[in-house]
Amino acid sequence: MKEAVYLDNVEKWEKFLDDACLIRYLIARDWDVSDALKMLVASLKWRLVMKPTELSYEDVSDVLSLGSLYRNGTDKFGRPILYIKPATYNPHSAEDRLRALIYTLQHTIDSMLPGVEQMVWVLDFTGYSQRQKSEGGSKASRQSMKVLQDHFPERLGAAYIINSPWWMSAGWTVLSVFMSKSTTEKIHWISGSTSKALGTELLQVAWPEQLELDYGGTRGVGSEVQRQEEAAASQPIDEKEKKEKKEKKEKKEKKEKKEKKEKKEK
């Protein structure tokens, strides 16, 4: 399968097309090589258009500044925790919200340590029924689900859905019958009005210092400092310039070493 993909002149995607990536797409298509390949090629075409690795914080800052979508901390397995708070009023278009999600997903993946392939979501619906409805919310949700399923397969390790609306849990009861056990086991439903109540389950998967205060931990809410770090991390690196600097440094060190040796011999 890997050779078949490379024949399509996508050598520059070597970092993306590692073995772990191919396995994720195979799992998403129940190990059907033909279907997985079609899915992967579609994702490559999508990436050429959307350019998720080239998005910067400045491109999506208006949406992310609302504080309804951000990464903060990791669970006990080192998987990044992504917080999503649908009750927050969002006046931005569905397209802007989707771009913010793509940016956040890509940078969450980029933050993963070697060996970590998945993330944990905390979807907090507290206050959702009293929220001020955002125009285009339904469209944004549909687009987001499609992107997640089609272009970020097998990236979800676990989802903790907090204080969900009744219709969501009812719908899940029906839909889960048609889902695989491995999928349903990733979804956890939690209800509670206090951090202690929510922490009862969440502290089983994350250490207190990695979990936000509202959910039983000791960690602060995603701050401007974190956003600044992400903005800095999003700046494109000129690989050629980086290589030239490294070579220049090595050449200088080699010259100094040679001069030191010659001086010692004299």
Side-chain angles (χ1 to χ4, degrees):
M1 176 179 174
K2 194 169 184 178
E3 289 74 18
V5 174
Y6 275 109
L7 287 175
D8 257 338
N9 299 318
V10 289
E11 285 84 355
K12 65 178 182 178
W13 299 94
E14 187 172 3
K15 183 179 178 182
F16 173 69
L17 292 169
D18 59 8
D19 290 339
C21 171
L22 301 183
I23 290 172
R24 285 195 302 274
Y25 278 81
L26 282 166
I27 292 174
R29 289 295 177 262
D30 294 323
W31 298 95
D32 185 306
V33 175
S34 179
D35 286 350
L37 183 56
K38 289 177 185 176
M39 183 185 187
L40 182 54
V41 170
S43 284
L44 292 173
K45 290 178 180 178
W46 175 84
R47 283 178 169 269
L48 280 169
V49 175
M50 297 303 296
K51 296 179 171 56
T53 57
E54 295 179 26
L55 285 173
S56 69
Y57 179 77
E58 287 70 27
D59 294 328
V60 295
S61 60
D62 288 348
V63 178
L64 294 186
S65 63
L66 298 173
S68 59
L69 173 67
Y70 58 89
R71 170 175 55 85
N72 193 10
T74 59
D75 74 350
K76 293 180 180 179
F77 298 101
R79 299 178 298 187
I81 299 174
L82 190 64
Y83 289 88
I84 304 172
K85 301 178 179 180
T88 304
Y89 176 67
N90 192 330
H92 301 286
S93 68
E95 289 70 25
D96 286 343
R97 292 188 225 183
L98 181 63
R99 192 160 55 246
L101 174 66
I102 292 169
Y103 166 86
T104 304
L105 288 172
Q106 186 60 53
H107 279 269
T108 298
I109 291 167
D110 292 342
S111 76
M112 293 176 178
L113 296 174
V116 178
E117 293 291 328
Q118 296 181 318
M119 61 189 81
V120 173
W121 295 353
V122 174
L123 293 95
D124 189 353
F125 283 87
T126 301
Y128 186 79
S129 59
Q130 289 83 39
R131 79 192 187 289
Q132 180 181 351
K133 290 188 177 180
S134 306
E135 189 176 343
S138 298
K139 181 181 178 182
S141 298
R142 290 194 300 271
Q143 290 181 337
S144 297
M145 288 305 298
K146 182 169 176 57
V147 166
L148 290 167
Q149 291 173 356
D150 294 350
H151 307 303
F152 293 91
E154 295 301 313
R155 284 298 191 180
L156 178 63
Y160 293 85
I161 304 174
I162 298 170
N163 295 328
S164 66
W166 68 267
W167 52 264
M168 182 176 286
S169 52
W172 174 255
T173 301
V174 176
L175 291 174
S176 60
V177 176
F178 305 97
M179 296 182 180
S180 65
K181 185 180 179 182
S182 60
T183 298
T184 57
E185 286 180 343
K186 292 179 181 180
I187 311 301
H188 306 269
W189 303 83
I190 306 175
S191 297
S193 57
T194 65
S195 59
K196 184 177 180 181
L198 298 176
T200 301
E201 184 160 356
L202 289 172
L203 284 172
Q204 293 180 36
V205 295
W207 301 113
E209 61 272 18
Q210 294 294 331
L211 191 64
E212 289 189 358
L213 287 163
D214 290 345
Y215 306 99
T218 58
R219 193 180 186 87
V221 176
S223 64
E224 184 60 31
V225 174
Q226 181 188 338
R227 297 190 183 108
Q228 289 172 356
E229 289 175 352
E230 290 188 351
S234 72
Q235 297 302 314
I237 298 172
D238 189 326
E239 294 298 331
K240 186 177 179 181
E241 184 181 346
K242 187 178 177 183
K243 186 179 179 181
E244 287 174 350
K245 284 183 178 180
K246 184 180 179 182
E247 289 175 348
K248 190 175 180 181
K249 183 182 178 183
E250 289 175 347
K251 191 175 181 180
K252 184 181 178 182
E253 290 175 347
K254 190 176 180 180
K255 184 180 178 182
E256 289 176 348
K257 191 176 180 181
K258 184 179 179 182
E259 288 176 347
K260 196 177 285 184
K261 185 179 179 182
E262 289 175 347
K263 190 175 180 182
K264 190 177 181 181
E265 289 175 348
K266 288 179 180 179

